[in-house]
Amino acid sequence: MSTDDIPPSSEAGDDETDGGGGVDATPVFVWGTNISVQDVNAAILRFLRHFRDPRDAGRVDPVMDEGKYMRAIHRILELEGGESLDVDAHDVFDHDPDLYSKMVRYPLEVLAIFDIVLMDLVARIEPLFEKHIQTRIYNLKSSICLRNLNPSDIEKMVSIKGMIIRCSSVIPELKEAVFRCLVCGFYSDPVMVDRGRVTEPHICQKEQCKATNSMTLVHNRCRFSDKQIIKLQETPDEIPEGGTPHTVSVLMHDKLVDAGKPGDRVEITGIYRAMSIRVGPTQRTVKSIFKTYIDCLHIKKTDKSRLHVEDTMDIDSSNASKSTEEDFLSDKVEKLKELSKLPDIYDRLTRSLAPNIWELDDVKRGLLCQLFDGNPLKLPSGASFRGDINILLVGDPGTSKSQLLQYMHKLSPRGIYTSGRGSSAVGLTAYVTKDPETGETVMEQQTVSIAKAGIIASLNARTSVLACANPTESRYNPRLSVIDNIHLAPTLLSRFDLIYLILDKADEQTDRRLAKHIVSLHFENPNLEELEVLDLQTLVSYISYARKYIQPQLSDEAAEELTRGYVEMRKRGNSPGSRKKVITATARQIESLIRLSEALARMRFSEVVEVRDVVEAFRLLEVAMQQSATDHATGTIDMDLIMTGISASERQRRENLVAATRNLIVEKMQLGGPSMRMIELLEELRKQSSMEIHLHELRGALGTLMTEGAVIIHGDNVKRV
Amino acid sequence: MVGPQYDLVGNPLGAVRATFERTAAAAASESGGADPVAAFRGKDWGAGDLFRSFLFEQDGLGKVPVLDASNLGLIKPNTLVRYRGMVQDMLGNEYYIGAFKDGSTWRTNKYTDFSPFSMPHPCDSHLWERHLFHCVPAPGQNSWTLESSPGPDVRRMPNCLAPELREKRKRDGDDDAMDVSENGHGESSFCKKPKEGDVHVSSSSTEVAGTVPEMNGGDHHIPGSSFSCLVKIYDMPESQVKLNDVIEFIGVYTFDPELAAPSDNPDDIMLDLMEDVTVQLPPSKVPRLHCLVWRKLSSHDFISRPVVEPSPSLLKGIRQSLLSHLTLVLGNDELAAQCLLLHLLSRLRNRVDVVTVGRLSLNFAGFNKESASIFGNQLYSLIQKLVPYSQAIPLSIDYLNSATLQPRKDNKSGRLVTGVLQLPQGTHLTFDETLLQTGSLTSKGVENTMLLKNLMESQKVDYDFEYYKLEMAADVQLLTLSEGKSNILPSDLVVPFRPSSVPTVNAGAEETESWRWYLATVRSLPQSTEPETYQMIQDEMVSAMRDDRSLGCSELSRWLTMAQIMASSFGEKSLSLEHWHMVKELERLRKQRMQ
């Protein structure tokens, strides 16, 4: 019968013949189908005794004679701890698919038998072992989206991923009650609690006493167990557009209590249950509406977020051994690995990044490096180097900087917020100012003006920073340094590995491409060429996998290339004709280059950083530097522009002016003699010098001389001392 | 199907059950009695069809009372009602016993919160599910939209009037109104002034306390909204309904005082811990509606005008009358009026990654407090008359520091706490930035500013889910009135406002209605552009860039948006060079003013 068009979301599909809603039916009814207790019993015993992990196959070790779970049982007995046996459902499936399907479909019954078989087995090995060992199943063949749970999953074993959003306090639950007679002091035998109720004996059991209504509960002799309810919510990636997350209650018993805390991403394996609600005092309103919850068997913490991998959480001790690659299904991994072998993977990744944002390929390559990241390094000496790559985009308004930023924000996992409680910038305040002339309003944030030159977003909750700044003037002034254009502190600026200038260039070809791009955004233009790109989901998986599993190391050749290139870069600083050395590269650049090269190797899933990675890293750095660190007076790359905001040629000029001023003063003024007005000095200087000199420049030069103790300045008057 | 057999308005559940029992019996005899109703899970067995045909084919819609704050408490439980509201929160699924076997008969509990027959225990039964949506009146909904589809006056419908109230009416001896409605002409009298003796909630509230829902006044999750409704929807994937959709639900209104009573089961600690979201929405405050039929509402659904073919000549005429009216309201500033028209016709047409296409936010600069109060108020009251949902926001430091703009999930109560920016698609917002003075923004102020900016730049609102933010797509028209160009809310189009006369306004009702129709129609007009146009536009752009190096991607993209709207505004389905030049001319005039 396939009339039911909502398929059960779990693989434990409900046969129509079983009655889709056997909720009220007693287990016997469900039991009555085709399952014999003896068969299941035998199947479980076979599984526990004989299951062998295929991964153990090659090993020759006497201990390996026993199956995986027999060893686990022995371990439990030896340690006298761990009162539960974790059973990987994949193992059950591999060993006996029929047992697996019975277990998933009738978990209450099968798990009860599991426990009995297990205790029998234990009793035979260690007759004196008294603790109860519980079977905890995990890692079902497939997990269900929370929102796809439906009535046909009730009473089935399910596996669900989600985020814990609330935990109740721990509730002690009475399991066995002990009573004492108030008359004779006799203690009763433990009375089992049955469905939340305990029957108080109304007569004292002691033959000699037999007092009635004398029994009272003795709390410290009762046996309690812990219980807790947590709320599990869908993770953001499972929520469809325009939807809100679903939640489900999960009941945790004993050892599972407090196994997770709010904010954790977990995978829960448990039994989906429904409980009738008593909605009104009369019989007729009972049992029409049900509450549902998952009775938890196993909880496993999963990654916090898609890209945030450094702090992979402590996975349950029981299965810590098999944490690698489990989040990536193996066929998916194969697909990613195939992609990584494509010769054009670098270009393909570049194309896939913000495909609707026009051009800016080298900027996108830099951003890719940021997404893939370098390796953070901690030396034994305690010195540590960051692995993250910081990027600043500076440019004309109207270029797609902020769109690029938003795209990166979207690509970075939604879950990055999970690492910090309270996701927004805490304590960030701002000041609103209004221009008295134009009435324009501006929001000033700390020292950076948000409207004009603001750092708008950071990519990652950790430390990779992607920032974007508009020039203080309406357009970028190529005659000024980056610092002068965006008014950002040099110390802050030097933290960026790559600074890109995105400027609007006049060029017919570019204009035409831009026009075509805009038109294609507005009309669904079928004529546009389709380049092969990775879809967003694949791109994210690709990056996550690389960041998690690929830790490239510098090859010797690559290290050599790095040194060679760096030396060459510094050599170029000796610009001909200048007697002063212009620094073109700083030590900080070496670190940047290593990080970029590592990221580039990661893009190919390569464990080795090769020469070509280093060459490309140099190219990326130079492209960015040519844009942002070119001294427009000399045409050379000058890192001083970034470090101090003053280019070497400008510094040279200032030094020359100080010298000229010093000479002039020595020439024209006597020690302790009468003072001269600044404006007179300026005129004299202008006569002597071919260069244009401004009063404020002279003032600056005189300031330097005053600190040397050569002159004293009183207002506009200068005195030689 | 058989219509008159049932009183679908007065006793919808009767029809639901009768069709169920008949279909179940037929299925049972066919299948030899195995389990005939298993197939009915998530399916309509014919009840929905019955109601759809009654509502839409037999003109039944007009006979169904509209449930709103004014008649809540007057309407008899278990009758058919209509409710128009915005989906404010999605509360997940509820499982209930959908069908059970009572002796040899299968019965259903669908479309109700309780079983009408006592359920044998134990019995054969089926667990079904339904989706729960919390709905509120659409924020910013303008009053004219309410007139578009009035329901009949429930006070004149004895089959739908709560029994206590009916009794009271009888005692009052006012038989006049009763006669009318008993003759079946109740719906014609809705516009009559309520007579003395007609029932008002206020006058009878003490008498019926505890037996009718009270208003949900104290719900801090939806401040300002006094009336919400818990809608239960059947037989559809949840994804068909999106947050902030405005929907008309037609279904069974239920209210059961027994359900309203708190649980009497104190020893079951489990229940307390698994407290349901619905506990927050007690039936005594929030009515339940079991939905039989629903449809999403677009702005067209609020316009009572008969359906006319939107021919270019008709649209052109209305365009002219609307434009001259806008010009008058804007003190004879025609450039501003042109831009305002394009702005009012803009809508989000496409979203590619982070790039949005079609939006056109507008900033009128050059206001001061006085002119903002004169022109601003006139302008805003006109907008209110033209669009279904609109709000005016006073953008002061105080407002930014204190207002709750961001919707936030309260994980403790399990509900979404609404914020100003939880809005239906197509809402118009007017910001008055003339109120903004120099001052400090607290972190909340900064956060609010960022939200507004983000809405403006990418038409998205981040909802706060405590552990992460969920981005919700929006389609909101944004108009800012400011002194200088606003850098806090950077609009797509900045127009220095230059009025030359005081605003004059006087628009006839019929004119206003035609403008509403015009706006709704033009906004939904499909655009089909010929490939030749692509080339033409590209050439135009390249030559524009040659003439003016300051033109960038975003500006040219905006020109194209404006040109497309310009074409639609004349009722043209495709863009021509003429429209492009009109926009270029507008831009030239605008830039002149900017200097």
Side-chain angles (χ1 to χ4, degrees), chain A residues 147 288 290 356 430 432 434, chain B residues 95 97 238 243 352 436 439 441:
Chain A
R147 67 176 54 232
S288 164
F290 279 74
N356 288 297
V432 170
K434 206 162 185 175
Chain B
Y95 290 7
I97 291 191
E238 192 195 65
L243 198 69
V352 196
L436 192 66
L441 289 181

Side-chain angles (χ1 to χ4, degrees), chain B residues 81-121:
Chain B
V81 294
R82 277 199 281 161
Y83 173 76
R84 292 179 154 194
M86 182 186 83
V87 178
Q88 189 270 326
D89 196 3
M90 305 166 120
L91 303 175
N93 302 347
E94 181 174 79
Y95 290 7
Y96 67 104
I97 291 191
F100 63 95
K101 206 167 181 183
D102 182 10
S104 61
T105 315
W106 280 95
R107 310 231 186 242
T108 185
N109 293 329
K110 200 168 170 178
Y111 305 113
T112 173
D113 284 316
F114 61 86
S115 175
F117 307 97
S118 70
M119 282 189 281
H121 184 76

Side-chain angles (χ1 to χ4, degrees), chain A residues 482 501 624-631 636-639 641-642:
Chain A
V482 176
L501 280 190
M625 280 206 314
Q626 258 159 24
Q627 293 176 341
S628 59
T630 304
D631 179 348
T636 52
I637 295 171
D638 184 352
M639 282 317 290
L641 262 176
I642 285 176

Side-chain angles (χ1 to χ4, degrees), chain B residues 401-416:
Chain B
N401 282 341
S402 60
T404 304
L405 298 188
Q406 184 173 49
R408 174 180 65 82
K409 175 87 174 193
D410 178 350
N411 280 323
K412 205 163 172 200
S413 68
R415 290 178 56 200
L416 189 63

Side-chain angles (χ1 to χ4, degrees), chain A residues 3-6 16 21 23-24 147 149-152 154 163-166 168 171 197 227 229 231 233-234 236 239 241-246 249 251 262-263 272 275 278-282 284-293 355-356 398 403 406-407 410 414 417-418 421 423-424 427-434 438-443 445 450-451 475 504-506 508 511-512 514-516 518-519 521-525, chain B residues 38-39 41-43 90 92-97 113-115 119 121-123 125 127-130 238 242-243 256 258-259 261 264-265 267 269-271 273-276 349-350 352-355 357 397 409 411-412 433-434 436-443 446-447 449-450 453 457-458 465 467-470 472-473 483-488 529 534-535 537-539 541-542 545-546 549-551 553-554 556-557 560-561 564 575:
Chain A
T3 40
D4 199 341
D5 68 346
I6 302 178
E16 293 304 323
V23 175
D24 275 331
R147 67 176 54 232
L149 281 173
N150 69 56
S152 67
I154 293 287
M163 180 189 280
I164 301 177
I165 53 161
R166 271 189 84 195
S168 76
I171 313 129
R197 288 181 191 279
K227 152 166 124 165
I229 311 263
K231 289 260 186 197
Q233 191 176 71
E234 257 177 320
I239 304 163
E241 177 98 33
T244 63
H246 278 208
S249 298
L251 178 60
Y272 193 39
M275 178 173 59
R278 215 188 208 311
V279 278
T282 59
R284 67 163 195 166
T285 52
V286 173
K287 292 213 166 189
S288 164
I289 299 177
F290 279 74
K291 281 186 179 185
T292 53
Y293 65 97
N356 288 297
Q403 285 172 0
Q406 279 174 36
Y407 180 89
K410 196 171 130 187
R414 279 167 156 178
Y417 296 114
T418 58
R421 223 33 63 83
S423 42
S424 55
L428 199 62
T429 58
Y431 196 74
V432 170
T433 57
K434 206 162 185 175
T438 64
E440 279 190 30
T441 47
V442 168
M443 190 166 94
Q445 210 158 353
I450 280 294
R475 302 185 71 73
D504 184 43
K505 283 178 226 141
E508 162 101 25
D511 288 356
R512 199 151 277 286
L514 175 61
K516 195 170 178 184
I518 295 169
V519 169
L521 280 179
H522 282 255
F523 309 106
E524 269 145 54
N525 190 341
Chain B
R41 185 187 132 202
K43 278 256 173 70
M90 305 166 120
N93 302 347
E94 181 174 79
Y95 290 7
Y96 67 104
I97 291 191
D113 284 316
F114 61 86
S115 175
M119 282 189 281
H121 184 76
C123 65
S125 61
L127 205 53
W128 292 348
E129 68 187 320
R130 54 196 173 204
E238 192 195 65
K242 290 186 161 56
L243 198 69
D256 185 347
E258 275 190 23
L259 283 173
D264 66 333
N265 209 352
D267 51 32
I269 197 164
M270 291 279 290
L271 282 177
L273 280 166
M274 289 185 197
E275 88 270 21
D276 219 304
R349 284 192 297 113
N350 199 8
V352 196
D353 292 339
V354 290
V355 183
V357 175
I397 294 273
K409 175 87 174 193
N411 280 323
K412 205 163 172 200
E433 209 203 73
T434 59
L436 192 66
Q437 293 304 324
T438 299
S440 290
L441 289 181
T442 60
S443 62
V446 173
E447 217 175 307
T449 312
M450 290 306 189
K453 210 172 148 158
E457 285 174 347
S458 48
F465 277 81
Y467 301 103
Y468 54 90
K469 300 232 163 124
L470 205 56
M472 293 283 175
E483 253 175 77
K485 164 183 176 264
S486 172
N487 289 318
I488 301 223
T529 300
Y534 301 146
Q535 200 50 52
I537 298 289
Q538 287 177 28
D539 295 343
M541 284 183 175
V542 171
M545 281 186 267
R546 207 179 298 132
R549 283 316 307 168
S550 73
L551 287 175
C553 183
S554 56
L556 288 169
S557 180
L560 187 49
T561 299
Q564 278 183 300
L575 167 65

